[in-house]
Amino acid sequence: MYLALLELRAARGRFLLMGSVVVLVAALVGIVSGFTTGLGDDTVSALRRLPATHVAFAAGSDSDQFARGLVDRDTVDGWRHEKGVEASPLGVTLTRGRTDRGTEVDLAAFGVEPGAFTDPGADTGRPLAAGGPEGVVVSRQLVNDGVRIGDTLTVDRLGIRLKVVGTTGRSSYGHVAAAYVTTDTWRRVRFTTPGARTSPGELPDQYSAMALRAPDGSGPVRLAGADRRLHTATVPLETAFGAAPGYDGERLTMNSIQTFLFLIAPLVVGSFFAVWTVQRTPELALLRAMGASRRRLLGHSLTQAAIVVSAGAALGAALAAGVGALVGDQVPFSLPAGTLGTTMAAVVLVGLAGSALTLRRVTTVDPMTMLGAAR
C-alpha cells in the first residue's frame, strides 16, 4: 500500500493524465444516463404516474397504439364486468391550445373519468370532479409556460373552450405536457372535425385504451381469457410505454451510447496500466527478487488502479451533477442520486476490469530473467 502511494506521487503527471481521462469518461456516462432518464420521463411520465398495472389496447394495433387503436363501449363495459380487475377508459391525444391571455401551448389531452383511479386529482385548485364537465387540470409544465388557474383554454381549430380548474405535478407524453380532461371532453377533442357542428351524442363512444388495475393474484391466464372475449391486447404498464411516440427509439439510441462508453472505459484504463506495467517491469522484478510475493504485487497494482478509477469516477459524478444543475429545466435531464451512484459504481467496476487485463504480467514476472535482461 505504501509503495503504491509512493509510485502515485512519483509519477503523478502520468496518473493525473489517466485520472483526467477517467473523469471525462465517468462524466460523459453520467450525463448520458441523465439524458436517458430525462428523455424517458419527458416521454412517458404521464403514463408512469398512472396507478394501473396493465393497459388493454384494441386487438390488431401493434404500434403507436394510443393514436391508432380505439376500444368501443362494449369493450369498456366488458372490462368493467371482469371479476378481479378494476378498469377505466383512457383517452390520449396530442393537440394545441390558446388561453384567453394569448398563451399558446402544446398539450397531451388525457381523458379520464372523474373520481376513477386514473384521475390525478389536483395539487392546487379543484380536481375534475369538482371542476364541471368543461374543466381541465394542467400539469406543472403548462403552468411554467404561462397557463394559470381560471384561464380559458381554447383547443386549436376546434373551438372547444376549457376552464383551467387545477394543476397537478410534472407529467408529459411524447415530450408534450399533459392536461387532464373528462372522457366526454376528450371524445370531443379527438373526434370533432374542425368547422363541423357535431353534438356530443353524435361522437363515437370510443377511447384510446383501457387502464386496468389487477390485484397481485390476477395472473396472465385470466387477462388472456378476457382479451379473447373482448378482442383486446393487454400488456403490462411498463410495456405500454413503448406505445408513446419515440420512446423505444430514444431509449435504444441513448442506451447504445452508454453501452459503448462502458466498453471504452475498460479499454482506456487497461491500455494505460498495460503500458505502466511494462515500464516498471524491472522494479517489479527487483521486488520479486527481494522476496515480495505475487499476492503483494497484485495488491499493489490493484490499489493503484482502484485509487485512480475511484477518484476519477467521484470527480466525474460531481461534474455530471453540475451539468444537471446547470441545464435545469431547459432540457429533459434527470439524474437522481441513486441513478448517479449506480452509474458511477458501474464505471468503477468496468475500469477495474480493464486494469485486471494487466495482472497476468504482474504475477508472472521472472526475477532472474528480468534482472538479467536489465543489465
Side-chain angles (χ1 to χ4, degrees):
M1 178 68 177
Y2 179 69
L3 183 59
L5 296 177
L6 285 180
E7 282 194 343
L8 286 173
R9 182 179 178 182
R12 56 183 175 272
R14 298 177 186 178
F15 283 104
L16 283 175
L17 180 61
M18 181 57 207
S20 300
V21 175
V22 175
V23 169
L24 293 178
V25 172
L28 189 55
V29 172
I31 292 171
V32 171
S33 179
F35 279 118
T36 302
T37 305
L39 287 170
D41 288 342
D42 206 47
T43 304
V44 298
S45 59
L47 297 176
R48 185 174 285 130
R49 68 178 299 183
L50 285 175
T53 59
H54 296 78
V55 176
F57 296 104
S61 53
D62 298 327
S63 63
D64 201 11
Q65 293 97 322
F66 285 112
R68 299 180 181 179
L70 292 171
V71 295
D72 56 21
R73 172 52 60 180
D74 291 339
T75 303
V76 173
D77 293 338
W79 272 111
R80 281 178 167 166
H81 289 91
E82 191 70 25
K83 293 182 179 180
V85 178
E86 188 177 0
S88 181
L90 177 68
V92 180
T93 192
L94 300 177
T95 186
R96 289 181 56 84
R98 181 186 180 92
T99 68
D100 51 357
R101 293 186 294 107
T103 302
E104 295 186 358
V105 293
D106 296 321
L107 53 94
F110 271 66
V112 298
E113 292 186 325
F117 69 92
T118 52
D119 185 354
D123 296 338
T124 59
R126 295 175 295 166
L128 288 177
E134 305 301 325
V136 56
V137 175
V138 299
S139 60
R140 193 170 63 203
Q141 296 100 306
L142 291 175
V143 175
N144 296 337
D145 290 338
V147 179
R148 301 289 182 266
I149 294 178
D151 287 352
T152 298
L153 183 63
T154 303
V155 179
D156 189 29
R157 299 184 302 117
L158 301 180
I160 300 174
R161 297 167 63 85
L162 306 174
K163 191 74 172 180
V164 180
V165 298
T167 67
T168 186
R170 185 180 181 88
S171 59
S172 56
Y173 171 81
H175 303 297
V176 179
Y180 297 88
V181 296
T182 64
T183 49
D184 289 339
T185 300
W186 179 85
R187 290 193 300 117
R188 293 177 59 198
V189 174
R190 173 67 172 80
F191 298 114
T192 298
T193 303
R197 296 181 176 273
T198 306
S199 64
E202 297 175 333
L203 297 174
D205 198 0
Q206 295 176 324
Y207 309 91
S208 300
M210 291 294 297
L212 309 177
R213 187 159 65 178
D216 296 337
S218 295
V221 175
R222 173 182 293 181
L223 296 177
D227 280 337
R228 287 191 296 270
R229 292 192 301 272
L230 302 174
H231 305 290
T232 56
T234 300
V235 297
L237 180 62
E238 292 77 11
T239 304
F241 294 165
Y247 178 77
D248 287 336
E250 288 175 353
R251 289 192 65 83
L252 178 61
T253 300
M254 302 306 292
N255 287 335
S256 298
I257 295 173
Q258 198 169 26
T259 300
F260 276 107
L261 289 174
F262 279 125
L263 293 176
I264 291 171
L267 294 178
V268 172
V269 175
S271 298
F272 171 82
F273 279 99
V275 173
W276 174 244
T277 301
V278 170
Q279 290 178 341
R280 63 194 183 102
T281 296
E283 288 80 3
L284 294 175
L286 179 59
L287 289 173
R288 286 287 290 125
M290 294 175 63
S293 65
R294 290 186 175 89
R295 180 178 298 179
R296 183 175 181 182
L297 295 182
L298 184 62
H300 166 76
S301 299
L302 286 177
T303 299
Q304 289 181 340
I307 292 174
V308 173
V309 174
S310 299
L315 292 175
L319 183 57
V323 170
L326 183 63
V327 299
D329 294 332
Q330 300 176 13
V331 295
F333 187 94
S334 177
L335 192 57
T339 301
L340 180 60
T342 302
T343 302
M344 292 304 109
V347 171
V348 172
L349 289 177
V350 297
L352 292 177
S355 67
L357 299 176
T358 66
L359 297 181
R360 182 177 180 277
R361 187 177 185 89
V362 173
T363 57
T364 57
V365 170
D366 186 349
M368 300 303 297
T369 302
M370 300 310 297
L371 287 173
R375 288 198 296 267

